[in-house]
């Protein structure tokens, strides 16, 4: 970068790498980027982001996990700012799909190096997401995990406990899925909508090879009773679940999902919200400018 840029750093104090110092982060950026630091938590991040005067900044830097990055990305898209990512969360799916290393020093180097690319975002009923959205069993697991997780607790342990609880009473949805290709009516434990193409393995979301193909991927399972479904779970545990054989998949620029529930719970990048049906999903091609590895 030839000119000194001004950045708003959104630092989640509850992120997975809790030992990482926000002061150290500012020092790493210091020579080429001046910054204002905004410390947030999962409870107050949107409240704080609403108060920031975004016109004062050239770039937005999100230091946290997928939820922090997704919240910052909404502002980056709305205010046409470039997004920098420092993945200090537990899972960091989005950063990994972009090839951004989880070591903060290396992630800062990518921002200072200055190479950017435009990638796709997606939305449902106007709510933006970077990774994926779903209804059904995934949403139940996310919600129960949040209830199980205590301050400073182990997120993986909470996820396992939540998954076991959901398996005892599998939620079944009756949905109609309308896409560019076809209209489908089915009973299913979930519908999963990804921003670009995922390689699915049930509870392992897999990895995306690209984030700029301009397509949603829609996955679902035809529910044929509890015993066949438990068989699929057993195959998943053995690592023998295959995308081509066990999942139904569509690719489309937009999709509409109708459900008997008027306000179903919907997960968006790990956060659960309620929204009216029908659920109108669409891809937003090349809508987010982000710092990427050279």
């Amino acid at each position: 970068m030839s000119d000194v840029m001004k950045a708003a750093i959104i630092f989640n104090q509850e992120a997975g790498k809790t030992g990482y110092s926000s002061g150290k982060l500012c020092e790493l950026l210091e020579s080429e980027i001046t910054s204002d630091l905004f410390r947030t938590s999962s409870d107050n991040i949107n409240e704080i982001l609403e108060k920031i005067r975004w016109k004062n900044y050239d770039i937005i830097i999100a230091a946290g996990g997928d939820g922090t990055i997704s919240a910052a990305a909404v502002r980056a898209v709305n205010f046409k700012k470039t997004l920098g990512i420092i993945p200090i969360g537990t899972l960091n799916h989005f950063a990994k799909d972009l090839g951004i290393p989880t070591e903060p020093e290396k992630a800062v180097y990518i921002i200072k190096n200055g190479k950017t690319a435009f990638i796709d975002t997606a939305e449902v009923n106007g709510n933006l997401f970077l990774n994926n959205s779903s209804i059904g069993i995934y949403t139940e697991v996310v919600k129960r995990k949040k209830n199980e997780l205590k301050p400073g607790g182990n997120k993986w342990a909470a996820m396992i406990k939540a998954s076991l609880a959901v398996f005892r009473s599998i939620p079944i949805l009756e949905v109609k899925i309308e896409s560019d290709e076809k209209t489908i009516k089915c009973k299913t434990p979930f519908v999963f909508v990804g921003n670009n193409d995922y390689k699915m393995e049930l509870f392992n979301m897999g990895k995306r090879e690209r984030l700029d193909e301009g397509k949603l991927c829609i996955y679902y399972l035809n529910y044929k009773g509890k015993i066949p479904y438990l068989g699929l779970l057993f195959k998943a545990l053995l690592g023998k679940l295959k995308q081509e054989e066990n999942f139904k998949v569509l690719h489309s620029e937009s999709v509409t999902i109708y459900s008997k529930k008027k306000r179903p719970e919907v997960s968006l990048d790990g956060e659960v919200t309620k929204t009216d049906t029908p659920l109108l999903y669409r891809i937003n091609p090349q809508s987010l400018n982000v710092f990427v590895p050279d």
Side-chain angles (χ1 to χ4, degrees):
M1 291 182 190
S2 55
D3 299 324
V4 174
M5 308 285 280
K6 188 168 184 182
I9 301 176
I10 313 305
F11 185 90
N12 188 339
Q13 300 173 102
E14 298 174 348
K17 296 178 183 176
T18 52
Y20 195 77
S21 160
S22 58
K24 184 178 179 183
L25 178 58
C26 292
E27 287 176 14
L28 289 170
L29 291 163
E30 203 169 49
S31 59
E32 286 131 40
I33 300 171
T34 61
S35 59
D36 290 336
L37 180 69
F38 300 91
R39 293 184 178 88
T40 68
S41 68
S42 300
D43 294 330
N44 68 11
I45 183 168
N46 283 305
E47 180 183 343
I48 289 175
L49 294 184
E50 285 301 317
K51 295 177 180 177
I52 296 174
R53 297 179 181 273
W54 295 108
K55 66 181 181 180
N56 296 335
Y57 301 101
D58 302 300
I59 61 178
I60 301 171
I61 297 174
D66 286 314
T68 305
I69 293 166
S70 183
V74 172
R75 277 72 189 182
V77 170
N78 289 345
F79 296 99
K80 294 181 169 54
K81 307 294 183 183
T82 304
L83 180 68
I85 297 169
I86 301 178
I88 54 173
T90 304
L91 301 176
N92 306 307
H93 290 300
F94 185 65
K96 289 175 182 175
D97 288 346
L98 282 174
I100 296 172
T102 55
E103 296 88 342
E105 292 80 5
K106 292 181 180 179
V108 168
Y109 174 79
I110 288 170
I111 296 169
K112 293 171 75 171
N113 201 37
K115 182 181 178 182
T116 65
F118 280 95
I119 62 169
D120 305 337
T121 62
E123 63 177 74
V124 54
N125 290 5
N127 298 300
L128 182 141
F129 60 95
L130 296 178
N131 295 322
N132 54 72
S133 172
S134 64
I135 56 174
I137 194 167
Y138 285 107
T139 306
E140 287 295 317
V141 170
V142 169
K143 187 173 68 173
R144 287 176 184 259
K145 186 193 80 170
K146 287 185 177 296
N147 292 336
E148 294 287 347
L149 190 61
K150 303 296 185 286
N154 186 302
K155 290 187 177 181
W156 286 109
M159 176 66 84
I160 292 169
K161 193 171 181 181
S163 299
L164 291 173
V166 170
F167 291 159
R168 295 191 191 104
S169 56
I170 302 165
I172 302 303
L173 306 170
E174 288 188 44
V175 297
K176 181 170 74 169
I177 304 170
E178 289 185 354
S179 74
D180 300 338
E181 297 178 14
K182 59 182 80 173
T183 297
I184 298 156
K185 291 182 179 179
C186 66
K187 291 183 178 181
T188 181
F190 70 88
V191 181
F192 172 99
V193 182
N195 171 19
N196 282 269
D197 195 27
Y198 275 83
K199 301 303 177 188
M200 287 286 286
E201 296 174 9
L202 201 60
F203 287 98
N204 176 13
M205 298 298 183
K207 184 176 173 62
R208 290 170 289 182
E209 294 180 0
R210 292 184 59 178
L211 279 160
D212 60 356
E213 287 190 293
K215 292 283 186 180
L216 300 170
C217 71
I218 303 97
Y219 286 97
Y220 64 97
L221 286 171
N222 272 330
Y223 185 72
K224 298 178 180 178
K226 195 164 187 176
I227 292 176
Y229 182 70
L230 291 174
L232 287 176
L233 294 178
F234 185 66
K235 287 175 73 175
L237 291 172
L238 295 176
K240 294 184 177 180
L241 200 65
K242 294 182 180 179
Q243 175 177 306
E244 307 81 22
E245 296 177 7
N246 300 117
F247 293 96
K248 304 293 184 181
V249 60
L250 302 169
H251 294 93
S252 180
E253 293 178 6
S254 63
V255 67
T256 303
I257 300 174
Y258 297 87
S259 167
K260 288 189 174 181
K261 286 189 176 181
K262 291 184 178 179
R263 283 181 59 80
E265 291 184 317
V266 180
S267 71
L268 298 161
D269 290 344
E271 301 296 326
V272 177
T273 186
K274 283 190 174 184
T275 187
D276 295 330
T277 54
L279 303 177
L280 308 175
Y281 285 92
R282 70 175 186 179
I283 198 79
N284 299 316
Q286 299 188 6
S287 53
L288 175 62
N289 196 24
V290 62
F291 290 101
V292 294
D294 190 5

